[in-house]
Amino acid sequence: MADATLKALRKKLGDIEDELDEATEAKAELEKQVNSLTAALEAARGDELQAALRDLQVRHESELQEAKSVQEKLEQALSSNADLEAKVAELQAGTTSPQADADGPLAEERQRAEKLQAEVQELSARNSALEEQLVLASVEPSMALRCLAIRPALSSNADLEAKVAELQAGTTSPQADADGPLAEERQRAEKLQAEVQELSARNSALEEQLVRHESELQEAKSVQEKLEQALSSNADLEAKVAELQAGTTSPQADADGPLAEERQRAEKLQAEVQELSARNSALEEQLVADAERQHSELRELREVLEQDRQKQQGLEAELEELRRRSSALGDLEGTVEKLRAEREVDGAERERLSRVCQELESDRDMALERMQAAERHAATQSSSLEEMQRAKASEAVRVDALAKEREAATGTQEVSVWGFLRLLQLRAGRGPEEYALGTSQKTRFLEEALFFTPQGMFCSAYGLHMAVRLGSESSAGKCFKMLTASTCVSWIASLPFMLRMPIPWTLLGAWQALAVLAEPAVEVHIVAHTHDDVGWLKTVDEYYTGQNNSIQHAYVHMILDTVVRCLEQNPNRTFTYVEQAFFVRWWRQQDDATRALVKRLVSSGQLEFTNGGWCMHDEAAPHFLDMIDQTTLGHKFLMDEFGVAPRTGWQLDPFGHSATQAALLSAEVGFQGLFFGRIDYQDIALRREKKEAEFVWRASPSLGSLAQVFTGLTGEYGGNYGPPSGFDWDVGNSDETIQDDPALEDYNVKSRVEDFVKAAMDQANETRGRHIMMTMGSDFQYEDAFTWFYNLDKLIQHVNADGRVHVFYSTPGRYVDAKKSEQITWPLKEDDFFPYADGPHQFWTGYFTSRPALKRYIRDTSAFFQVAKQISAIAGPTSEDGIEKLAEAMGVAQHHDAVSGTAKQHVTFDYAKRLAKGRAAAMPGISAALGRLTQASEASPELFFCDLRNVSVCAPTQAVGKTSQRTCFTLWNGLGQEREELIELPVSSDKVEVVPGSGNEAVQFQLVESLPSVTNYGAPAGGAAQTLLVAIKLPAMGHASYCLQTAGVAAPKATLANISQGSCQALENENLKLWFCGGMMANITDKLSKTSTRAEQSWMWYNASLGNAASSQASGAYIFRPNRSEAFPVFTGLPFMRVFRGPLADEVHQAVGSWISQRTRLARGARHVEITYTVSDIPVDDGWGKEIVSRISTDIKNDGTCYTDSNGREMLQRKRDFRPTWKLNQTEPVAGNYYPVTTSLFIRDQAAQLTVLTDVSEAGTGCVRDGEIELMVHRRLLKDDGRGVGEPLNETEFVTPYLGNDQGRHYGPGLVVRGQHWLHFAPPATAARGWRPLMDRLYLPVQPFFGKGAATGPFSALPGSLPPSLQVITLAPWDDTHILLRIGHQFGIGEDSELSKPVSVDIKSLLIGAKVVSIEERGLAATITKDEVEKRRIAWQVEGPTAASPAPPQSEFSFGPLQIRTFFVQIVEALRRKSGQVPRPELSSLGARAAWGKERPTGAQRWDIVPHYCQVVQGRRAEHGGRGWLQVTTRMAAEETWTLKGRSEHAPRVREHFVVFELPREASGVAEDFRIAAVKPGVPAEST
């Protein structure tokens, strides 16, 4: 009874502990609610709510006091429990009677009982450890509750075992007969011991099962079932204990002996236990009552809170209704005022018309009178006409005489009149050509004028006029330096004669001097343009077709239509266009006449393309290669259709500007100027003050002055790109037009001219030189171009008539030419323009991370696109490759509202859809090309690309072991070096293996647990539960094949280590050692250099600001603004950690709270650590937007300095609260120190450097706090930041249509993102040689293509790995005879003592299987030669040093730090051509295709002598020699000569000729019949 009561008591105590835990949780929830309510009340600032807050605080304090009281009562119960246990121990000690014989059977039984008790204690200890492990391994709350529920059962089990030991000890009475009941009891005890052992075995099995399945909910159910079985065994054990207790009352026992005394003591103890049980029952009832009271009060509190919320919502609704009514009232008042004004205008108009009628009648009468007077005057004049003619003849004679006299006195004064006329001609010019004459030409004109009139006062004034005109911003004395010595001498010599000049000539000279003073001081270039976003508020197609105008009115098709017609009307008009994604759409829809018109406009310079890319790309998020690709795509179209290559960059709208844009995408493309609108508000104010709105930008320390570009701000230098204020004449705008008809009302020419001249003068005072550019246009303007050009024509006419400034139509290219002619020394800029802020609390650093899933999809597709181009170039293009569609989709995705993540949600969906369709379109061509490379049979199915491998979904590999026995796959390495690494294959069976496609080399692999398989919004994705890690080895720029197949034994599997939660664990390989303590990474050591640092990782979130007293600015898609500088931890508890150890890699899996998890992997031999994180649906139910960061805190003393990459190229130094070109007034200490991290970020000191590589663009910093790196990986916000997108950055699965009252509402689960951070740790001197190659590997991972059939051996398009500092940037087909090859140096200047040095490579020997005919170096966009790029370079005079250019390359090509060089390689033999492989000829003409399709010649195996670059122009049948033949005429574009015997290596080379190949048509023909029938120069005859 005592044991049963004790068991019940312990169970009640356990229940009390559970209730206390619940009370503690309720208290925490209460505190959370009180805090939330406090914040809400502070925001509302209502008196009633504040009173409610005080009441709630009082209640909260009362609850705390009650909780303390409950805790004290529990401590008293525990103390009583301790007393009870002490008495039980005393009872157990008393049962050992002093009369026991130490040497008899009692001693033996006592020993057995002690042994049995020791085993029971061991079992109890194991159960306690199991209980602790179950509690700590609480993967979910339900698991923890189940563990707490089984705690009393385990405790009861221990109590029962202790009671068995007690009873066994008590049965050893000295009066017991060895052969009597004692023997029977002994047998029962032995049987009981066996049962206890069986129970111990069951518990051991239970422990193993819990360890193996502790993280799975289904296995928890199994654990519960086994525990119920254990409880059943315990019930059996209790029954046996009761039987044993009954059996101990032996009839031979003495009722008055020690056993009776023990019974009395036991009864007394039982009474005490009952008393204690009663006390505990009372305590339990009291605790239950307290808990019920607490729950009741909590419910009341929640009701009060709900009432407060409802009341607040009601007040907000009333306030909103008042605002709505106020707005409606304002609109009504406005309407009334408008009607009144219209009535007044109508009345005034009637009065004016009446006056006009009266004036017209009066004018009519006066006109009649004047007509009569004129008739009379005409009669009088006709009578004296003859007299006047006679007088005129006499005067002519007198004038001739006077002229001869003056000619003798003054010499050649008529030349003065010629000079005067030349001046008037120059003043009256309308185009920029008259104002952009070369200096030498102007000087010759000046000297000529002065030389022919050495004595003329008029020409003296004219000479002064020209000197001032040509002297830029110099003083008058400097202007006169342009005059030659002889001219000045002749001018001075004329002074004595000037004193004797007649008065009329003197007056003429004075008039000309006044004309010099009236010369315009400013030349205004009018650049008409439109900025057309390739998707933003609407999709790219909606913008083009004018659909969905309820969101935004925009119709690009009409813009291009009306602009072209306006340019046709007036040859003086010009227009500038940028986005080829729109223009190509429009161009494809035009007829031949319109295309011819546009070509004339482009040729004449009226229509100029600037930038010329597929879009106006972003400059923070894209990888540099994607920026190059989209620029090349647009430039190729312009060169193919118009033969032009843009000369200027036009990045008006991106939100900050990168060094890569200036160095690569401007100077290396061949741009002579770069223009943009947005820079930091503090920077722009200083530049306007110091006249530095235009400057020279030298952004790359590695490339130096070779990569500098003239750069200017647009708009009015106010951070925009529109027209001056008051001069926006687009449809729908209300700016005042020009009314120049004096006969009409509101004549405003004078005021309009004054406004424009003032704007021009103000802008000219903020830069250097006389020329300024005005951007007349903005977003989606010129839909009705006639309105714009009508007003611009009048503006130019009247401003030029005013004469103070000279204004004319121009383009960015012409503007750069004018600035070049001024010979000005310009300021020098050497850093970039990040971060951008347009106000004190408005830093545009949030978009570096916004929409991370789209950013990652674009980056992943970029790698796929690069590999697709490589395969197509190597294997040869196909008619169905679809790569062009993928290129266009990627071009759209680089737009500054696409990859930036700043478009509306439905537009973001459209970007992703376009990428998916582009990938699908390209895949068949890639499959066919790769099939040729791997020599797959035509019957083989298309290859398959597993797009969802990152969530463990891949149908071909998951089918092995279930529905198939084997699948083969080809792995493509897009890098120029061999690579060895691990790839992941999702598998459904553990009995699998991987074998190489050829050879006997063993392949290592291991099974690991897969990451959670979820969709973008958290639903199960159906992925495999385990993943096979495979160690692969791939050749440079090529492929290798492997096969996954079933095996007889299970694959090696990573084992789960038995660890204690919170303890320190290590991951270690040959190079690195990581320590994990408290569930997170804590330390990292480079074993090679013996360098170590604290590296404590934590997941944090910044509370997104909704606006405060300092500023109403909220955090949004563009802007990052936390409401405080300190971040909050995602999880305050102990992260749950598991450690897996395997032969290829060790892994640590961590759960940080309920919505963030990550896997840290350290592979064998690796020099880096791979962290794969998953951020699930970010909770925002508390009303706070959250910005999630991963933080690593170290001991590195970086002194507020970090380094971030510029689009994956140059590393730029960043300093805390510092800008290199102005003194920063820092107002946002966190957001103002965030920078774009496209691929890499590092901090360092003298001893160590920690580099973090990212798989996607993220916002990051290493400058906010010393030794800390932060990377923002996800954002979910609840308020728009007011920068145009018009919706919060709240990415959910669903969005309502953008119509009606509920438009654009986001609902459904939030976005889930998964990404990677690679950590590299090394001394600074050797760090770059580690992280630079890793950066390439992370950007261009191995691309696997899956399919059936046999695998082949490895293939490489290169003779071997490139030097470690070089990389193949691009390998792509360009046309039928050329491939495009870009090679880049991957190390910056000074990054590594060896690898940063220049390196050379022989291009001709670089490509295996290709006979190189010629190599031509091109500009970065590939449409113009490198020589043309060099010709375009302008030697701008700058306030700083100038670097020398490298020597031009020869057959070997040298690459300096971070230099990229682009080549056109013309080849003879295809890269794909291998020994014994015969390609099918390319038959591009209709006749050749028809003939080949009907009767394939038997001599086809001889087609290998026909070069692949030939173009088939004719195909015809022929009959001669009694046989039928197929004649194929091909055009040879290569510089080589063919004869009837084949290609000649010795004959003189011919640029273009034709070769006729002849093949037999009948089936009996043999290969030897294949021959060359003719070689023809020139154009062949028409096909018959």
Side-chain angles (χ1 to χ4, degrees), residues 1178-1479:
I1178 301 175
V1180 291
D1181 296 337
D1182 55 4
W1184 295 108
K1186 296 177 178 62
E1187 323 216 26
I1188 314 303
V1189 299
S1190 173
R1191 176 184 292 174
I1192 301 178
S1193 303
T1194 73
D1195 295 326
I1196 295 176
K1197 299 177 178 60
N1198 62 318
D1199 194 24
T1201 301
C1202 67
Y1203 296 79
T1204 65
D1205 69 302
S1206 176
N1207 306 106
R1209 296 304 288 170
E1210 199 94 46
M1211 297 300 294
L1212 304 180
Q1213 185 186 70
R1214 316 293 192 180
K1215 294 183 178 181
R1216 182 188 305 133
D1217 301 335
F1218 174 78
R1219 303 291 186 266
T1221 52
W1222 82 91
K1223 185 176 180 181
L1224 175 66
N1225 177 26
Q1226 183 62 274
T1227 52
E1228 290 287 335
V1230 177
N1233 285 300
Y1234 261 60
Y1235 294 90
V1237 180
T1238 312
T1239 61
S1240 52
L1241 161 69
F1242 67 76
I1243 57 175
R1244 67 185 182 192
D1245 56 17
Q1246 296 296 323
Q1249 175 173 323
L1250 178 62
T1251 306
V1252 182
L1253 305 174
T1254 67
D1255 64 340
V1256 72
S1257 169
E1258 295 172 350
T1261 184
C1263 305
V1264 174
R1265 285 168 289 271
D1266 285 350
E1268 283 188 359
I1269 286 178
E1270 277 187 6
L1271 287 166
M1272 185 187 296
V1273 303
H1274 200 0
R1275 316 176 73 210
R1276 190 176 185 186
L1277 311 174
L1278 302 179
K1279 190 174 181 180
D1280 178 48
D1281 56 13
R1283 291 306 181 272
V1285 73
E1287 64 182 29
L1289 184 67
N1290 181 16
E1291 294 189 83
T1292 57
E1293 188 171 6
F1294 307 107
V1295 181
T1296 60
Y1298 289 86
L1299 296 170
N1301 297 327
D1302 193 31
Q1303 57 177 302
R1305 179 174 58 84
H1306 297 225
Y1307 65 98
L1311 180 70
V1312 179
V1313 298
R1314 176 170 291 163
Q1316 287 188 314
H1317 289 160
W1318 288 10
L1319 275 56
H1320 182 269
F1321 182 69
T1326 59
R1329 67 181 59 185
W1331 68 261
R1332 276 287 185 183
L1334 286 174
M1335 183 173 66
D1336 293 334
R1337 282 177 51 186
L1338 188 55
Y1339 164 69
L1340 197 60
V1342 173
Q1343 300 292 305
F1345 298 90
F1346 299 88
K1348 298 179 182 179
T1352 59
F1355 163 81
S1356 175
L1358 306 178
S1361 292
L1362 289 177
S1365 57
L1366 294 185
Q1367 193 56 262
V1368 176
I1369 304 298
T1370 301
L1371 179 63
W1374 185 263
D1375 55 29
D1376 292 339
T1377 62
H1378 296 86
I1379 61 173
L1380 177 63
L1381 174 65
R1382 292 190 184 99
I1383 296 179
H1385 197 298
Q1386 297 300 88
F1387 284 77
I1389 187 169
E1391 287 183 350
D1392 189 87
S1393 58
E1394 292 296 327
L1395 297 180
S1396 292
K1397 294 179 179 179
V1399 63
S1400 299
V1401 65
D1402 187 357
I1403 303 297
K1404 285 189 175 182
S1405 62
L1406 191 61
L1407 303 174
I1408 291 181
K1411 181 178 179 182
V1412 177
V1413 176
S1414 63
I1415 299 176
E1416 181 183 46
E1417 187 168 6
R1418 294 286 183 119
L1420 190 66
T1423 57
I1424 59 175
T1425 65
K1426 184 67 173 179
D1427 290 341
E1428 175 65 21
V1429 172
E1430 295 300 326
K1431 290 178 182 178
R1432 290 186 178 189
R1433 294 193 193 276
I1434 300 174
W1436 301 101
Q1437 299 297 319
V1438 298
E1439 298 171 346
T1442 307
S1445 303
Q1450 304 299 326
S1451 59
E1452 279 198 344
F1453 296 87
S1454 178
F1455 298 82
L1458 290 183
Q1459 184 181 17
I1460 298 176
R1461 301 180 68 176
T1462 304
F1463 306 100
F1464 262 13
V1465 183
Q1466 185 180 12
I1467 58 176
V1468 174
E1469 300 294 340
L1471 295 177
R1472 67 182 184 277
R1473 192 109 4 125
K1474 299 179 181 178
S1475 177
Q1477 185 177 1
V1478 180

Side-chain angles (χ1 to χ4, degrees), residues 883-1146:
I883 292 182
E884 191 72 16
K885 293 182 179 179
L886 179 57
E888 293 182 5
M890 281 294 294
V892 169
Q894 307 313 313
H895 172 58
H896 60 266
D897 286 307
V899 68
S900 62
T902 55
K904 281 187 177 294
Q905 184 69 61
H906 79 289
V907 181
T908 301
F909 289 155
D910 182 71
Y911 288 136
K913 181 181 70 175
R914 291 178 181 278
L915 291 174
K917 292 173 68 174
R919 292 170 70 119
M923 194 59 212
I926 299 173
S927 177
L930 197 54
R932 292 196 296 272
L933 283 178
T934 57
Q935 299 180 348
S937 65
E938 295 184 1
S940 299
E942 290 187 355
L943 295 176
F944 181 82
F945 191 87
C946 292
D947 294 298
L948 300 178
R949 276 195 314 125
N950 66 324
V951 291
S952 306
V953 175
C954 184
T957 61
Q958 288 179 264
V960 175
K962 293 180 64 177
T963 60
S964 70
Q965 300 299 313
R966 174 184 172 97
T967 185
C968 293
F969 52 94
T970 299
L971 302 175
W972 187 273
N973 173 23
L975 301 181
Q977 289 84 22
E978 295 180 355
R979 62 199 297 177
E980 297 182 27
E981 57 190 74
L982 301 178
I983 66 163
E984 299 183 4
L985 303 176
V987 294
S988 301
S989 172
D990 56 358
K991 292 185 177 181
V992 292
E993 63 180 359
V994 173
V995 296
S998 64
N1000 299 319
E1001 183 179 355
V1003 179
Q1004 291 183 301
F1005 46 84
Q1006 90 176 43
L1007 282 170
V1008 297
E1009 182 180 299
S1010 298
L1011 295 176
S1013 180
V1014 294
T1015 66
N1016 287 348
Y1017 300 97
Q1026 52 189 355
T1027 296
L1028 192 67
L1029 289 184
V1030 185
I1032 53 95
K1033 182 177 182 180
L1034 298 177
M1037 188 68 70
H1039 69 78
S1041 297
Y1042 295 85
C1043 291
L1044 175 69
Q1045 61 189 22
T1046 57
V1049 296
K1053 187 175 184 179
T1055 58
L1056 177 63
N1058 186 9
I1059 65 170
S1060 176
Q1061 293 297 319
S1063 63
C1064 292
Q1065 301 293 324
L1067 294 189
E1068 186 174 8
N1069 68 2
E1070 302 87 341
N1071 304 311
L1072 296 173
K1073 185 173 184 179
L1074 282 75
W1075 280 102
F1076 292 80
C1077 296
M1080 297 297 290
M1081 185 175 67
N1083 184 277
I1084 186 170
T1085 299
D1086 176 30
K1087 296 169 67 174
L1088 300 181
S1089 65
K1090 298 181 180 179
T1091 304
S1092 181
T1093 185
R1094 174 176 61 93
E1096 297 175 351
Q1097 188 200 10
S1098 56
W1099 284 95
M1100 315 291 288
W1101 62 277
Y1102 284 104
N1103 193 348
S1105 176
L1106 300 176
N1108 56 19
S1111 171
S1112 61
Q1113 181 62 56
S1115 197
Y1118 301 90
I1119 292 174
F1120 168 43
R1121 188 182 182 223
N1123 70 349
R1124 50 179 290 181
S1125 298
E1126 298 298 326
F1128 298 92
V1130 167
F1131 184 60
T1132 57
L1134 183 68
F1136 177 68
M1137 184 178 76
R1138 293 178 297 151
V1139 179
F1140 295 89
R1141 304 191 186 277
L1144 294 181
D1146 293 344

Side-chain angles (χ1 to χ4, degrees), residues 497-547:
F497 187 80
M498 289 164 55
L499 299 177
R500 300 193 301 271
M501 286 182 62
I503 292 178
W505 293 108
T506 304
L507 293 177
L508 182 62
W511 177 88
Q512 182 58 32
L514 293 177
V516 171
L517 297 178
E519 174 67 20
V522 179
E523 306 285 348
V524 182
H525 295 247
I526 295 294
V527 176
H529 79 103
T530 178
H531 171 56
D532 299 338
D533 288 307
V534 186
W536 179 37
L537 307 183
K538 304 197 298 185
T539 68
V540 58
D541 285 347
E542 288 173 341
Y543 274 135
Y544 179 73
T545 60
Q547 301 299 313

